[in-house]
Amino acid sequence: MYIKQLELTNFKSFGGTTVIPLLPGFTVISGPNGSGKSNLLDALLFALGLAGSKGMRAERLPDLVNHSQTRRGHSVVETRVTVTFALDVETEWRVTRRLRVTKQGTYTSTYAVNDQPCTLNELHDQLQAFCIYPQGYNVVLQGDVTSIISMNAKARREIIDELA
Amino acid sequence: MYIKQLELTNFKSFGGTTVIPLLPGFTVISGPNGSGKSNLLDALLFALGLAGSKGMRAERLPDLVNHSQTRRGHSVVETRVTVTFALDVETEWRVTRRLRVTKQGTYTSTYAVNDQPCTLNELHDQLQAFCIYPQGYNVVLQGDVTSIISMNAKARREIIDELA
Amino acid sequence: RHQSFREAFDAVNANFQTIFATLSDGDGYLQLESPEDPFAGGLNLVAHPKGKPVQRLASMSGGEKSLTALSFIFALQRYRPSPFYAFDEVDMFLDGANVERLAKMIQQQSQEAQFIVVSLRRPMIEAAQRTIGVTQARGQHTQVIGLDLTAHH
Amino acid sequence: RHQSFREAFDAVNANFQTIFATLSDGDGYLQLESPEDPFAGGLNLVAHPKGKPVQRLASMSGGEKSLTALSFIFALQRYRPSPFYAFDEVDMFLDGANVERLAKMIQQQSQEAQFIVVSLRRPMIEAAQRTIGVTQARGQHTQVIGLDLTAHH
Ligand SMILES: Nc1ncnc2c1ncn2[C@@H]1O[C@H](COP(=O)(O)OP(=O)(O)OP(=O)(O)O)[C@@H](O)[C@H]1O
Ligand SMILES: Nc1ncnc2c1ncn2[C@@H]1O[C@H](COP(=O)(O)OP(=O)(O)OP(=O)(O)O)[C@@H](O)[C@H]1O
Ligand SMILES: [Mg+2]
Ligand SMILES: [Mg+2]
């Protein structure tokens, strides 16, 4: 099992729809400061429900919609991210999250597995079956290494509690 | 004016006496992780009284003495750092700090300018005359850049208060 | 609860020792503040990089600390293996030789799981099977370039 | 007290604008939370890297934040110039091009003051007039090597 493709629509600095095919093994993402590398990992966290807005460096969820969208004055703007996993050579498993924000700033966020709507808890149960856990350090963000060093001993022990 | 030489005796990972000549202009210090680069800057902070033990990554001042000294069982161990400034082609200005630690862990720390004992306040007054201030960001340590980013707005304003 | 913590701790500790030895050629272990009743205390990472006395995180250098923290993260991942991992500039504190060592470890692990690693360091970029470049011209959106999917290893 | 703060703030702000423009080719300025009574509020660093909308520190990338913080440090230093400066791995968040830009700025400033810069990045090492190498063999003390004092620029 591996991530076969990421598809971002109006997510942070990615305007329009960007499709990124991925292969198994070791892939590096590189590029200048501020070009959108960390945003790509935020898209992964967003779609799989692995972090809140703070963990994606946004004050509120609506800040995740590409700014040029919000500036156009549409009554509803939307951002969407789809993660496609290859379970084996023939079978795919797709997770999609969609965030719709009205002009007044209210929003709705919905998840879907293979285009069937589901709740975050149902998604987490299915992810757990594939050994993908929110506290399993699947995604190590910029600054996580430093926070392990500076957190107190009790907080460090609690990391093992959660995995036990 | 520039720093012409650093002399370290039993300071942190520098055992024995190490003399490091310096030139004006742009000098880089490089080397593997854990080899002693940051310790060299700590020696500068130590001699000029610009930081407390925490700022030199030591729990207490006695931890600054090279470990192999403390393990030898001497009744008193000592670390010493001298910073020699070239004021102009002929005149030098030397600052020395000496830390003596007894076996029981009590210690004395003394400063001297051109080998004449002085207090920390007298040293700071002379440094101020040369435009070297503790809060002037002369020495930017590993992590200072990150702390400017994460400090609150009030603490950031206070940096300017101190310079005013 | 004690039982399952104990089991997790022992496994992660064993992982940590092997991984720390590979990454930094020294000895390290996890130390509970109160081993009889783990929940009453915390957890410390104790390590001595090659040839140095045992030390706690606080007195290590920036690079030594980050290799110790990375070994802990790998040790947790090995206890509950997952199909993919994503790292964001975890090599920024490391000198060239340590970046190479970390890259070699990721190369080995990437035979069992997918690794997506954001990095600005040359030894890491060179060790990968492929590189995805991103860029953002003035005022434009992020563009994904150079999707060189031909593996060059 | 207000008067001398005002004077310091205006000078540092002017420095910040010029330096940020050189380091990251964008516009930046210092913003007081309560301009009428500065002591009642704090200070924010506001900057928009080339071609992007104005943003606060919190929503910038790691590299953009560190260039902004570095510009602030340089702006403070320029207000009260000193005979020497020492930097410890301030370039760790930056991509290759930004390390070169920072190195160029240090080269210019090093005509007026002495700069001692600890770095692991190749563009910084190559820009310096000379390099002091340190190393520590297994269990030994720190050795200073390669004191190549012949300027190679
Ligand atoms: N909703 C949004 N719309 C448009 N741009 C956004 C949005 N949210 C964040 N950005 C921009 O994305 C950029 C940051 O991208 P990111 O953090 O991914 O950079 P990076 O490539 O990781 O850089 P570094 O190497 O410095 O870590 C910032 O300049 C930020 O302003
Ligand atoms: N009193 C002491 N006696 C002996 N060694 C010491 C003493 N205090 C600190 N050290 C050692 O010095 C080493 C750290 O050196 P330093 O922090 O200068 O490394 P560095 O070259 O800056 O590395 P990095 O590139 O990782 O930042 C540590 O391994 C630490 O154990
Ligand atoms: Mg980033
Ligand atoms: Mg260091």
Side-chain angles (χ1 to χ4, degrees):
Chain A
M1 179 180 181
Y2 69 94
I3 300 175
K4 186 175 173 182
Q5 177 177 290
L6 280 178
E7 190 181 324
L8 289 77
T9 303
N10 290 333
F11 184 81
K12 289 189 126 184
S13 59
F14 293 82
T17 296
T18 310
V19 177
I20 302 167
L22 291 166
L23 289 177
F26 185 4
T27 302
V28 154
I29 300 175
S30 203
N33 289 134
S35 57
K37 302 183 294 293
S38 298
N39 290 346
L40 208 54
L41 297 192
D42 291 342
L44 205 54
L45 294 173
F46 172 74
L48 304 181
L50 294 177
S53 62
K54 285 274 172 296
M56 295 182 278
R57 300 170 301 147
E59 273 172 46
R60 301 178 51 233
L61 278 184
D63 297 339
L64 295 173
V65 180
N66 182 279
H67 291 322
S68 63
Q69 283 300 308
T70 30
R71 276 198 298 271
R72 291 227 179 99
H74 299 295
S75 62
V76 175
V77 288
E78 178 183 301
T79 178
R80 200 175 61 238
V81 176
T82 300
V83 180
T84 308
F85 290 91
L87 299 188
D88 55 42
V89 187
E90 280 141 18
T91 337
E92 279 185 8
W93 187 67
R94 268 195 327 286
V95 179
T96 302
R97 184 176 179 184
R98 192 191 292 257
L99 180 74
R100 289 163 186 260
V101 183
T102 66
K103 229 179 161 152
Q104 291 72 31
T106 59
Y107 63 86
T108 55
S109 149
T110 53
Y111 293 89
V113 170
N114 293 331
D115 301 325
Q116 302 301 324
C118 72
T119 67
L120 179 57
N121 283 340
E122 284 165 9
L123 171 63
H124 276 175
D125 288 346
Q126 295 197 43
L127 285 173
Q128 199 115 357
F130 292 123
C131 294
I132 298 168
Y133 331 86
Q135 68 278 359
Y137 280 95
N138 280 78
V139 184
V140 180
L141 297 176
Q142 241 172 318
D144 278 359
V145 169
T146 323
S147 66
I148 283 199
I149 293 164
S150 41
M151 71 175 55
N152 67 25
K154 192 160 163 296
R156 221 176 275 139
R157 198 249 307 133
E158 281 163 8
I159 294 175
I160 295 196
D161 295 0
E162 281 176 12
L163 278 191
Chain B
M1 178 183 184
Y2 68 93
I3 300 174
K4 183 173 173 172
Q5 177 178 292
L6 279 178
E7 188 181 324
L8 288 77
T9 304
N10 290 333
F11 184 80
K12 287 189 124 184
S13 58
F14 292 83
T17 296
T18 310
V19 177
I20 303 168
L22 291 166
L23 290 178
F26 186 3
T27 303
V28 153
I29 300 174
S30 204
N33 288 134
S35 56
K37 302 182 296 293
S38 298
N39 290 346
L40 209 50
L41 297 193
D42 289 342
L44 205 53
L45 294 173
F46 172 76
L48 304 180
L50 295 177
S53 61
K54 285 280 172 294
M56 295 183 277
R57 299 170 303 148
E59 272 170 47
R60 302 177 49 233
L61 278 185
D63 297 339
L64 296 173
V65 180
N66 182 280
H67 292 321
S68 65
Q69 284 299 307
T70 31
R71 263 177 279 132
R72 289 230 179 98
H74 299 292
S75 60
V76 176
V77 289
E78 177 183 305
T79 179
R80 202 176 57 237
V81 176
T82 301
V83 181
T84 308
F85 290 90
L87 300 189
D88 54 42
V89 187
E90 282 136 22
T91 337
E92 281 185 6
W93 188 66
R94 270 193 329 284
V95 178
T96 303
R97 185 175 177 185
R98 191 192 294 261
L99 179 75
R100 287 164 186 259
V101 182
T102 67
K103 228 178 160 149
Q104 293 71 29
T106 59
Y107 63 86
T108 55
S109 150
T110 54
Y111 293 91
V113 171
N114 292 333
D115 301 328
Q116 301 301 322
C118 73
T119 67
L120 179 57
N121 284 338
E122 286 166 6
L123 172 61
H124 276 178
D125 288 348
Q126 297 200 43
L127 286 173
Q128 198 113 359
F130 291 124
C131 297
I132 299 168
Y133 328 90
Q135 67 279 1
Y137 280 96
N138 279 77
V139 184
V140 180
L141 297 176
Q142 240 171 320
D144 279 0
V145 170
T146 321
S147 64
I148 285 201
I149 293 165
S150 42
M151 71 175 56
N152 66 27
K154 189 160 164 298
R156 221 177 276 135
R157 197 249 308 137
E158 280 161 12
I159 295 175
I160 295 195
D161 296 359
E162 281 177 13
L163 278 192
Chain C
R1 190 172 168 222
H2 273 265
Q3 182 55 28
S4 76
F5 176 85
R6 193 79 232 162
E7 188 198 308
F9 174 76
D10 289 342
V12 174
N13 194 2
N15 291 345
F16 181 74
Q17 290 174 9
T18 356
I19 291 167
F20 186 78
T22 326
L23 272 187
S24 76
D25 177 14
D27 298 323
Y29 56 90
L30 304 183
Q31 184 190 56
L32 287 168
E33 284 181 345
S34 66
E36 296 72 33
D37 176 14
F39 298 107
L43 172 74
N44 284 312
L45 310 179
V46 184
H48 40 131
K50 53 189 180 306
K52 289 188 189 168
V54 179
Q55 49 190 0
R56 291 269 292 263
L57 265 186
S59 65
M60 290 183 198
S61 79
E64 290 171 338
K65 280 182 193 168
S66 88
L67 271 185
T68 310
L70 274 170
S71 301
F72 182 57
I73 289 176
F74 274 117
L76 294 167
Q77 290 177 347
R78 204 169 266 187
Y79 178 60
R80 284 243 190 264
S82 176
F84 83 92
Y85 295 105
F87 289 145
D88 195 351
E89 298 196 36
V90 295
D91 52 4
M92 63 164 75
F93 298 89
L94 304 180
D95 62 44
N98 279 329
V99 174
E100 275 170 28
R101 245 185 278 212
L102 178 62
K104 221 186 231 87
M105 178 174 255
I106 293 175
Q107 266 178 341
Q108 277 160 10
Q109 304 252 4
S110 68
Q111 289 165 0
E112 281 135 43
Q114 179 183 37
F115 275 82
I116 300 168
V117 177
V118 173
S119 174
L120 303 173
R121 308 294 294 270
R122 190 189 299 271
M124 189 65 76
I125 295 169
E126 285 172 356
Q129 288 167 278
R130 67 200 72 86
T131 303
I132 294 178
V134 286
T135 185
Q136 191 174 14
R138 262 172 200 279
Q140 301 299 324
H141 304 308
T142 294
Q143 307 289 332
V144 178
I145 52 177
L147 258 174
D148 121 29
L149 288 174
T150 52
H152 47 261
H153 279 282
Chain D
R1 191 173 169 220
H2 274 264
Q3 180 57 25
S4 74
F5 177 86
R6 193 78 234 162
E7 187 201 312
F9 174 77
D10 289 343
V12 175
N13 192 2
N15 292 344
F16 180 75
Q17 291 174 7
T18 359
I19 291 166
F20 186 78
T22 323
L23 271 186
S24 72
D25 180 11
D27 297 320
Y29 57 90
L30 305 182
Q31 182 190 56
L32 286 167
E33 284 182 341
S34 66
E36 296 71 35
D37 177 14
F39 299 105
L43 171 74
N44 283 310
L45 311 180
V46 182
H48 38 132
K50 53 187 182 309
K52 289 188 186 170
V54 176
Q55 51 192 3
R56 292 266 294 259
L57 265 187
S59 67
M60 291 182 197
S61 81
E64 290 170 336
K65 278 183 195 167
S66 92
L67 272 184
T68 311
L70 275 171
S71 301
F72 183 56
I73 289 176
F74 274 119
L76 295 167
Q77 290 176 348
R78 209 171 261 186
Y79 178 59
R80 284 235 189 271
S82 179
F84 83 91
Y85 296 106
F87 288 144
D88 196 351
E89 299 197 36
V90 295
D91 53 5
M92 63 164 74
F93 297 90
L94 305 181
D95 62 44
N98 279 329
V99 174
E100 277 170 32
R101 248 187 277 217
L102 178 63
K104 223 189 229 86
M105 176 170 247
I106 293 175
Q107 267 178 341
Q108 278 159 10
Q109 304 252 356
S110 68
Q111 290 167 2
E112 282 138 39
Q114 179 183 35
F115 275 81
I116 301 168
V117 177
V118 173
S119 174
L120 302 173
R121 305 296 293 274
R122 190 187 300 270
M124 189 66 76
I125 296 169
E126 285 171 359
Q129 287 168 274
R130 66 200 72 86
T131 303
I132 293 178
V134 288
T135 185
Q136 191 174 9
R138 261 174 200 282
Q140 301 298 323
H141 303 309
T142 293
Q143 308 287 335
V144 178
I145 54 175
L147 259 174
D148 129 33
L149 289 175
T150 53
H152 45 264
H153 280 284

